[in-house]
Amino acid sequence: MNVRVTMSIAGRQIDETLTGPTAEDVLVQAKAHVAKELGWKGLFLSAMTPLAFAQKAVELYNGDHHTQYASPKTAEEFLHLGQDLGYISLLS
């Protein structure tokens, strides 16, 4: 599975491609990348599961954009939401 993430957040432009055998693996990579980018502030992410990370991301998105997207129950649901919102593209 190849996933391209493109978005602008906190004044930064993100254009990354993640590759993994499953949606869960891609989510693990995304979580690690965000934690690294946040530096010491990302330490709290290490205690989160990848799914908890995805759920927190949706919660924060909902708060910032005044939306009410359901909290994902799987990594696949999270990736599908990202596709629907235009932030994630599945590459062949």
Side-chain angles (χ1 to χ4, degrees):
M1 166 176 279
N2 293 318
V3 176
R4 182 177 182 195
V5 179
T6 54
M7 65 189 319
S8 181
I9 187 166
R12 297 190 58 199
Q13 182 61 34
I14 298 168
D15 188 353
E16 299 284 334
T17 300
L18 303 172
T19 302
T22 65
E24 176 78 18
D25 187 61
V26 169
L27 189 54
V28 167
Q29 291 177 49
K31 176 187 156 202
H33 186 76
V34 170
K36 180 181 174 186
E37 289 293 317
L38 290 175
W40 67 270
K41 294 178 184 178
L43 290 176
F44 74 95
L45 292 179
S46 63
M48 294 179 137
T49 65
L51 183 57
F53 165 76
Q55 291 168 337
K56 186 64 172 178
V58 171
E59 177 186 326
L60 292 171
Y61 183 90
N62 282 336
D64 288 347
H65 293 90
H66 309 289
T67 55
Q68 295 181 352
Y69 291 106
S71 184
K73 295 184 181 18
T74 65
E76 291 84 6
E77 283 184 19
F78 180 70
L79 293 182
H80 287 297
L81 177 60
Q83 279 183 284
D84 292 345
L85 295 174
Y87 297 116
I88 294 175
S89 302
L90 293 180
L91 307 173
S92 52

